[in-house]
Amino acid sequence: MAETPLSEWKTPLFGCCQDVNTCCYGFWCCSCLACTVSRRFKQSFCLPICDILSPAIFTPMGIPIFAPPAALTLRASIRNRYGIKGTAINDIVTSCFCVWCSWCQMDRELKERNRAPAVINTRPKTVVNVQVNPVMKVDENPESQHDSFGAPYVNPDPAPPPNSF
């Protein structure tokens, strides 16, 4: 079985100019962007709360936490799912020292990968030829009515005249 070649990230780590909306979202509310990325990757949107709470929980127990666990695991998962080049060391360094840029890059990647393909319909449009129904002229005078061959029309079952009051 042949392995598929690994690809690069769709945008560079510091590629904020390629999606300014995501960059502003990450700058002004990085935790909200992290929740959005987590949900977009089909994970619990509360997963990034681990990044906020883990230092507060583990430091009093004497366990130093340097890498944000949610950012690190989501980055590695995105890299593995889409076959993106990189190493665990790169993920750790990126998640520790540039967490905002990391979340922005992951969001741009998921937007690009999950974009709906454009569908172009190349079939010609269906043309419907609508012909006008023939108009039948009804004359009040029964002697002047004729069929399609020009013969006088005779009603085989004439209706009786309306009764007067």
Side-chain angles (χ1 to χ4, degrees):
M1 185 166 110
E3 283 189 34
T4 58
L6 296 177
S7 64
E8 297 289 332
W9 288 90
K10 298 284 185 187
T11 60
L13 183 63
F14 301 111
C16 285
C17 292
Q18 294 178 355
D19 187 0
V20 177
N21 291 336
T22 298
C23 187
C24 288
Y25 187 30
F27 178 77
W28 294 108
C29 190
C30 188
S31 58
C32 295
L33 175 65
C35 293
T36 301
V37 170
S38 183
R39 177 173 281 167
R40 188 173 282 149
F41 195 61
K42 307 286 190 267
Q43 298 296 320
S44 171
F45 72 96
C46 295
L47 184 64
I49 294 173
C50 295
D51 289 353
I52 298 166
L53 297 179
S54 59
I57 294 171
F58 289 113
T59 304
M61 292 188 274
I63 304 170
I65 299 287
F66 297 109
L72 178 59
T73 55
L74 274 175
R75 185 171 182 82
S77 296
I78 289 171
R79 220 174 28 77
N80 288 330
R81 178 176 292 173
Y82 297 120
I84 299 171
K85 292 179 187 175
T87 63
I89 296 295
N90 288 344
D91 292 339
I92 292 169
V93 170
T94 302
S95 297
C96 286
F97 297 108
C98 199
V99 70
W100 295 279
C101 295
S102 175
W103 283 114
C104 290
Q105 184 183 33
M106 289 187 285
D107 187 60
R108 291 189 306 265
E109 188 72 26
L110 292 175
K111 280 182 184 177
E112 189 68 29
R113 299 278 182 164
N114 296 329
R115 183 173 290 167
V119 177
I120 300 172
N121 188 356
T122 58
R123 293 185 300 181
K125 293 182 179 179
T126 304
V127 178
V128 178
N129 189 5
V130 179
Q131 296 181 356
V132 180
N133 290 333
V135 178
M136 179 184 213
K137 181 180 176 189
V138 177
D139 195 358
E140 299 278 336
N141 186 358
E143 288 84 31
S144 67
Q145 293 181 359
H146 299 284
D147 65 6
S148 60
F149 298 108
Y153 177 74
V154 179
N155 189 354
D157 189 24
N163 294 335
S164 60
F165 296 177

